[in-house]
């Protein structure tokens, strides 16, 4: 299922496609720990991911939007982390409430690979970062 794009990043800010700026709030940040997604290397916690999907789907009925803030909370490289977040994105692919994903500082050197992996099947995602990584990333 391919969702249509509702938001875009311009000059490190979030906008609706209509051009209206969307102010960011703490309620829009939805933390997800890498260790919750992937307990062991390449062993994904499908029970956690099913619950995550339910939680995100419940936001839709309230008209709320969030972005996933992955927490790099275990040992492993950027490639393994990216694979886990790509799997997470696949499990929540039909959640209209998800604007996109944040880029953790631990993968900023590989940010382009991370973004490319997630955009492969989720072209509507917007990316967020705590420090500038280009004009097409929203700062939060």
């Amino acid at each position: 299922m391919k969702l249509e794009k509702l938001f875009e990043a311009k000059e490190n800010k979030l906008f609706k496609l209509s051009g209206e700026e969307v102010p960011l709030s703490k309620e829009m940040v939805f933390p997800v720990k890498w260790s919750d997604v992937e307990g062991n290397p390449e062993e994904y916690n499908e029970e956690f991911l099913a619950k995550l999907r339910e939680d995100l789907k419940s936001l839709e009925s309230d008209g709320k939007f969030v972005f996933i803030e992955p927490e790099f909370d275990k040992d492993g490289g950027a490639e393994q982390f990216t694979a886990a977040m790509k799997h997470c994105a696949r499990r929540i692919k039909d959640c209209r409430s998800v604007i996109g994903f944040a880029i953790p500082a631990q993968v900023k050197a590989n940010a382009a690979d991370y973004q490319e992996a997630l955009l492969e099947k989720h072209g509507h995602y917007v990316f967020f970062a705590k420090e500038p990584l280009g004009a097409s990333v929203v700062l939060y």
Side-chain angles (χ1 to χ4, degrees):
M1 169 182 220
K2 188 174 182 177
L3 296 177
E4 65 184 67
K5 190 175 186 102
L6 299 174
F7 300 94
E8 64 183 337
K10 287 193 267 183
E11 299 175 12
N12 299 127
K13 295 179 182 173
L14 183 65
F15 292 87
K16 291 181 181 179
L17 290 184
S18 64
E20 178 186 349
E21 185 175 350
V22 178
L24 295 182
S25 68
K26 290 181 181 183
E27 291 79 32
M28 294 177 79
V29 181
F30 200 100
V32 172
K33 292 180 181 177
W34 178 13
S35 61
D36 286 338
V37 173
E38 180 187 63
N40 297 313
E42 296 183 34
E43 186 178 307
Y44 301 118
N45 184 341
E46 297 300 340
E47 186 177 322
F48 168 79
L49 293 168
K51 173 75 168 86
L52 174 63
R53 182 185 173 279
E54 286 177 23
D55 292 345
L56 293 168
K57 290 298 278 181
S58 72
L59 294 175
E60 288 179 20
S61 59
D62 296 334
K64 294 183 179 177
F65 292 95
V66 297
F67 64 91
I68 304 297
E69 181 183 50
E71 294 181 28
F72 201 103
D73 69 336
K74 61 183 243 172
D75 291 334
E79 190 174 306
Q80 182 183 347
F81 174 82
T82 297
M85 290 308 115
K86 183 176 179 179
H87 185 78
C88 178
R90 278 198 301 263
R91 292 295 177 255
I92 61 173
K93 68 183 175 201
D94 65 336
C95 296
R96 180 172 296 284
S97 62
V98 178
I99 300 169
F101 275 67
I103 303 169
Q106 295 89 335
V107 296
K108 80 175 185 182
N110 301 74
D113 293 338
Y114 174 77
Q115 291 173 285
E116 184 179 325
L118 292 175
L119 287 172
E120 184 179 315
K121 300 236 176 181
H122 313 282
H124 63 287
Y125 278 169
V126 173
F127 292 91
F128 299 78
K130 291 189 175 181
E131 57 188 68
L133 293 174
S136 63
V137 175
V138 177
L139 293 178
Y140 74 104

